[in-house]
Amino acid sequence: MRILANDGIDQSAKIALEAQGFTIETNNIPQAELAGRISEYDVLLVRSATKVTKEILDAGASLKLVGRAGVGLDNIDTTYAKEKGIAVVNTPAASSTSVAELVFAHLFSVCRMLQYTNRQMPENGVANFNQLKKTASAGIELKGKTLGLIGFGRIGREAARMAYGLGMNVIAFDPMISEAEVEITFHPEAGIPTFKKKVTTISKEDVLKQADFVSLHIPGGQGYVIAAAELNMMKKGAGLINCARGGVVNEVDLVEALNNKTIAYAGLDVFEKEPPVYDAVLKLDNVSLTPHIGASTAEAQKRIGDEMAEQIINFFK
Ligand code: MLT
């Protein structure tokens, strides 16, 4: 069986699959060439970069399984795969901690203007140190602030757990969940007891109006969930964090809201187009930026790889 891991896969998964007799290739085939080459493979593994379209599925004469090494399935035409009898699997739980930690990396960054000082220090850190210090001294603490989660699935709940650990309040909206219990396990090895906290979800409007920071934890492919109307509902001084999917935030409206001080900050890991085409969103001092790395930690990639290898091995048993 030949596997193409077109967006890469953790080395441990490669070793596990090869030990079971699979051949696994990890050299990326560019999207434009993929349809011409996919017939050589039985399994196609992707992260978010490769789009598994109707054309790719039609060209994959030997394809039996498509694996998405990650949470969402929005880059895979799952309906068409089903019609063609090609199975689709993903690893929905493996990266929750890493994505939630990145949310806090952005939150800490915007609260203390790290994105701004990191850009300024190399050039101005000596000559304009005191001026920079003055500008960056308008920081705020996260403790006591309210984190509003839009989407309260695995990653949203992990973000809630971390927020409670920092002394934040948590409110959440999820169209599918009216109430959820978050198990707060901080550090059992250190004897810190686990406790449970019930979060009753409220309307999206109320989350937007009440939160000091709004963090999105929703799937893509549903159009804009945050555009001018939603940004206008948010508190002045609030921040928006998107480590979910780029297409859910209208970037033009977001830049306008940041420029007009309708909201104060944003943290973005994902973009409407990747690589981003609307570069205004990359140039603001109050926006913390990362290039879609929510799941890109050693730990998450190992868990994703192990889980994916296990699913492939079981599928062909
Ligand atoms: C995910 O959905 O888990 C990530 O977006 C995958 C990725 O990092 O490409």
Side-chain angles (χ1 to χ4, degrees):
M1 292 287 166
R2 290 189 71 186
I3 302 173
L4 172 66
N6 207 42
D7 300 326
I9 190 87
D10 192 78
Q11 187 65 9
S12 62
K14 197 165 183 275
I15 292 168
L17 288 161
E18 283 171 349
Q20 296 292 318
F22 292 90
T23 305
I24 175 155
E25 284 169 37
T26 52
N27 286 339
N28 177 268
I29 300 178
Q31 185 77 40
E33 294 165 31
L34 190 56
R37 301 268 307 277
I38 193 63
S39 63
E40 300 164 33
Y41 301 95
D42 303 280
V43 179
L44 173 61
L45 300 184
V46 299
R47 285 179 63 177
S48 53
T50 303
K51 312 291 172 230
V52 187
T53 58
K54 204 166 182 251
E55 187 199 7
I56 305 289
L57 294 166
D58 274 335
S62 308
L63 267 189
K64 294 157 192 74
L65 181 66
V66 173
R68 166 72 160 81
V71 179
L73 290 168
D74 44 299
N75 54 326
I76 300 173
D77 190 336
T78 49
T79 313
Y80 196 59
K82 198 169 171 195
E83 258 174 52
K84 293 191 66 87
I86 299 170
V88 179
V89 293
N90 66 341
T91 57
S95 57
S96 306
T97 299
S98 294
V99 178
E101 285 189 3
L102 187 66
V103 168
F104 284 89
H106 283 295
L107 283 170
F108 283 122
S109 181
V110 295
C111 285
R112 303 307 295 269
M113 303 175 75
L114 303 188
Q115 71 287 340
Y116 172 72
T117 52
N118 277 328
R119 287 170 200 163
Q120 291 296 319
M121 286 294 278
E123 285 226 3
N124 292 315
V126 177
N128 296 315
F129 185 87
N130 287 331
Q131 181 52 44
L132 268 182
K133 180 177 161 112
K134 206 170 156 195
T135 314
S137 290
I140 55 165
E141 292 180 350
L142 285 175
K143 187 173 178 180
K145 304 294 186 302
T146 298
L147 179 65
L149 299 162
I150 299 206
F152 204 49
R154 288 185 187 87
I155 302 174
R157 286 178 214 191
E158 185 63 7
R161 189 185 72 78
M162 292 176 190
Y164 285 128
L166 288 167
M168 297 183 80
N169 309 309
V170 176
I171 53 176
F173 161 73
D174 191 309
M176 313 297 285
I177 300 168
S178 58
E179 190 176 82
E181 204 157 48
V182 193
E183 200 170 86
I184 317 282
T185 311
F186 287 118
H187 192 355
E189 298 81 10
I192 301 172
T194 294
F195 67 93
K196 291 184 176 174
K197 176 94 179 82
K198 206 168 267 179
V199 176
T200 306
T201 54
I202 56 177
S203 70
K204 176 178 151 189
E205 224 173 78
D206 284 340
V207 168
L208 292 168
K209 285 181 183 159
Q210 293 172 26
D212 298 298
F213 298 97
V214 172
S215 184
L216 306 177
H217 299 286
I218 46 181
Q222 51 179 319
Y224 294 135
V225 173
I226 301 289
E230 288 76 19
L231 291 160
N232 282 325
M233 283 180 207
M234 289 173 66
K235 286 185 181 176
K236 285 223 177 321
L240 176 74
I241 308 293
N242 187 10
C243 293
R245 284 291 175 266
V248 299
V249 174
N250 182 323
E251 285 172 1
V252 174
D253 291 357
L254 176 64
V255 168
E256 199 175 316
L258 288 159
N259 282 332
N260 294 342
K261 311 262 179 280
T262 304
I263 66 166
Y265 327 93
L268 302 175
D269 183 49
V270 288
F271 302 87
E272 281 196 67
K273 292 268 182 305
E274 293 181 2
V277 291
Y278 182 55
D279 67 355
V281 82
L282 306 178
K283 294 186 173 156
L284 300 172
D285 287 339
N286 48 356
V287 181
S288 169
L289 300 161
T290 46
H292 199 150
I293 54 160
S296 300
T297 61
E299 294 83 356
Q301 288 306 310
K302 167 100 174 58
R303 283 192 293 269
I304 288 170
D306 289 349
E307 212 180 294
M308 195 47 83
E310 195 181 325
Q311 293 194 66
I312 296 170
I313 292 163
N314 287 339
F315 181 84
F316 287 103
K317 249 186 194 155

